[in-house]
Amino acid sequence: MTKRFGDVLVIDSLDLEIERGAFYALLGPSGCGKTTTLRMIGGFELPTEGRVLLAGEDVTNNPPHKRDVNTVFQSYALFPHLSIEKNVAFGLERKGVSKSETKTRVAEALETVQLPHLAKRKPGQLSGGQQQRVALARALVNRPRALLLDEPLGALDLRLRRQLQVELKRIQQEVGITFIHVTHDQEEAMSMADTIAVMNRGQIEQAGSATDLYERPTTAFVAKFLGISNLIDAEVGAGDGTMSKVTTHDGAALHAPANRCAEHAGTPVRIGVRPEKVRLHKAGEATPPGANVLRGRVLLSSFLGVSLQYVIEAAGGEELTVYCQNDDGVAPDAFGAGQEVQLSWDPRHTFVVARGEDGE
């Protein structure tokens, strides 16, 4: 699909296929096109070019109420004058479903979201998290082929958001309906989705499981959007079948898996490693055999409770982040500011992305 608003290109020739029963997340920063994509799936926007198919049926020109999908928005959009059970039953009553079946399905939906005891209350008597569950029940009661979730947890506080992330995943597995979830929250997408599509400038940069995207990002944008990445300018050299040599701009010789270097041979790249994969050593201390090693100097250290965070200035000038697990009560000044150190990591944890003209 392609979508333009006037002269502004919002979605750029995007192809997307989602399997039935999947929990699929569209993840990206504000303005990347993820909500517009969801709205085209739901029928709230028409694509400028392209088609939307649901179970093989072309529904591109069908209005929202004639597509077998339901949408849950960040704003709960509940009717304040109706009870919770009446809110949930509203769509069924409009479709002419019998009273007995409506009663049964409403009870099942409220049981699914664990709110049967609040059926007689009004929305104003519920917390934000409970209201969001009611909105979810109201969407599920219609038994759609797909449920579209547009930043559904965005208005909730952090503790409640994390609680409902677990609940949403449980509900999706229980009902087996396809969930398509739009979010800008990396943790939210990674904790719930089977597949995540990272969007940027109206296109999908990379799609895959949370593990794939985190451990093997294919672009600098994905590497930096999903968590923290240490990226170092380098050039790919020769390989031995398993590992390829990569040389940093200051001459440090490192290694990366050959299959991640194949398409970048002889070209400028950025190699990356996640902060928790790196180990710190005092200058001159022995490092693990075969490890990638860089020299650096501690700029600052922070105690985060479960871990210690260090910012290191590498010999080549890059500022790198290192997380050390707080598993033995090490004080945050174990490596003090100004101290010369060595950074080591297993070459297998190195990923490789192209270096564009703007360094991205």
Side-chain angles (χ1 to χ4, degrees):
M1 298 183 295
T2 295
K3 179 65 178 179
R4 294 184 180 86
F5 291 109
D7 294 331
V8 179
L9 179 63
V10 180
I11 301 297
D12 186 6
S13 302
L14 182 145
D15 290 317
L16 181 60
E17 185 172 336
I18 300 173
E19 293 183 5
R20 178 182 291 185
F23 198 129
Y24 198 100
L26 297 173
L27 174 68
S30 297
C32 71
K34 56 188 185 296
T35 294
T36 300
T37 300
L38 194 79
R39 289 177 62 82
M40 287 193 286
I41 295 171
F44 299 100
E45 297 284 354
L46 287 174
T48 307
E49 301 169 19
R51 297 188 301 158
V52 180
L53 294 96
L54 182 64
E57 178 188 353
D58 189 337
V59 297
T60 309
N61 295 306
N62 292 6
H65 67 278
K66 291 190 176 180
R67 301 190 187 198
D68 197 5
V69 300
N70 275 98
T71 305
V72 178
F73 299 99
Q74 185 179 129
S75 59
Y76 318 125
L78 301 177
F79 299 113
H81 61 289
L82 297 180
S83 68
I84 298 310
E85 61 183 359
K86 286 291 186 182
N87 265 280
V88 176
F90 185 79
L92 296 179
E93 291 173 346
R94 287 190 65 185
K95 289 181 177 180
V97 177
S98 69
K99 288 186 177 180
S100 60
E101 185 178 350
T102 295
K103 184 177 180 180
T104 299
R105 286 168 64 172
V106 167
E108 289 174 351
L110 288 175
E111 187 67 42
T112 298
V113 299
Q114 301 180 343
L115 291 179
H117 58 295
L118 301 180
K120 302 299 182 182
R121 294 192 187 181
K122 299 284 180 68
Q125 297 173 292
L126 273 57
S127 69
Q130 290 169 333
Q131 290 185 50
Q132 189 57 282
R133 290 181 192 220
V134 174
L136 186 60
R138 185 176 58 185
L140 290 171
V141 78
N142 291 306
R143 297 173 182 169
R145 281 186 178 273
L147 189 66
L148 313 181
L149 301 118
D150 188 8
E151 302 270 12
L153 310 181
L156 306 176
D157 64 56
L158 180 60
R159 181 192 60 82
L160 191 53
R161 204 157 64 232
R162 286 179 173 169
Q163 178 185 333
L164 284 187
Q165 286 170 12
V166 175
E167 283 299 298
L168 269 178
K169 182 66 175 175
R170 176 192 63 80
I171 290 168
Q172 193 271 336
Q173 291 176 339
E174 185 177 308
V175 299
I177 291 173
T178 306
F179 277 26
I180 308 173
H181 180 204
V182 158
T183 181
H184 64 272
D185 187 317
Q186 314 144 25
E187 181 183 305
E188 189 169 292
M190 293 174 74
S191 67
M192 293 191 294
D194 305 315
T195 302
I196 302 169
V198 180
M199 293 189 66
N200 183 30
R201 299 175 183 175
Q203 296 181 321
I204 293 175
E205 289 257 337
Q206 185 178 353
S209 69
T211 301
D212 287 337
L213 297 179
Y214 187 82
E215 301 288 357
R216 294 174 289 278
T218 57
T219 69
F221 178 85
V222 174
K224 292 193 291 186
F225 194 78
L226 259 75
I228 295 175
S229 288
N230 295 312
L231 295 173
I232 304 161
D233 289 349
E235 188 164 311
V236 174
D240 62 4
T242 304
M243 290 287 167
S244 291
K245 183 178 179 181
V246 288
T247 306
T248 67
H249 63 92
D250 63 319
L254 306 175
H255 290 86
N259 59 355
R260 300 178 194 174
C261 296
E263 63 183 286
H264 302 291
T267 62
V269 297
R270 304 183 89 182
I271 61 167
V273 63
R274 297 291 185 178
E276 70 278 6
K277 310 288 190 185
V278 183
R279 300 293 176 262
L280 281 184
H281 312 269
K282 294 178 181 178
E285 185 177 277
T287 55
N292 282 338
V293 180
L294 289 175
R295 293 178 295 107
R297 180 174 60 88
V298 177
L299 294 181
L300 60 89
S301 62
S302 304
F303 181 68
L304 304 181
V306 298
S307 64
L308 306 170
Q309 176 180 305
Y310 296 96
V311 177
I312 312 293
E313 182 182 28
E318 302 91 352
E319 287 193 4
L320 309 179
T321 301
V322 179
Y323 291 147
C324 296
Q325 189 70 21
N326 181 22
D327 54 6
D328 57 2
V330 176
D333 59 354
F335 294 97
Q339 185 172 342
E340 298 294 325
V341 294
Q342 298 177 98
L343 303 86
S344 75
W345 69 92
D346 189 326
R348 293 175 299 176
H349 295 149
T350 307
F351 56 83
V352 183
V353 297
R355 190 186 342 154
E357 292 180 2
D358 60 354
E360 298 299 305

